[in-house]
Amino acid sequence: MNDHQIITALIGEAAQLPAADPRATRWATEALALASAAELPLLVEEAEGVLGRIEHDTTCIWCAGVPGADIPIGSFWCTH
């Protein structure tokens, strides 16, 4: 496997895991580090996006499924 394949595999695996799974953050962080070292800006952006989704899904009470959390105003989909 080349660097690109390794990084995209890590990003893909991290993106498919639930945010609460510690492997998701670990693999996305590893992908970010490798993409940065390999100077692959598109993959850096992708890894940052996965890390942002993980952070959001663990901090947004609605997306995290906290009982009693209201649906965000104005949209069925979370807008946070």
Side-chain angles (χ1 to χ4, degrees):
M1 277 182 133
N2 63 35
D3 292 344
H4 188 274
Q5 292 169 321
I6 293 167
I7 296 165
T8 55
L10 287 166
I11 292 170
E13 291 295 324
Q16 297 301 316
L17 290 171
D21 189 323
R23 295 175 300 170
T25 301
R26 184 172 60 245
W27 290 345
T29 302
E30 183 177 347
L32 178 58
L34 291 171
S36 296
E39 297 180 354
L40 298 168
L42 184 59
L43 294 181
V44 167
E45 186 177 330
E46 290 295 321
E48 288 173 341
V50 171
L51 284 168
R53 192 265 313 163
I54 292 167
E55 179 183 354
H56 171 84
D57 288 357
T58 55
T59 59
C60 174
I61 62 170
W62 187 68
C63 291
V66 174
D70 293 327
I71 293 173
I73 296 171
S75 175
F76 175 75
W77 303 105
C78 181
T79 56
H80 296 111

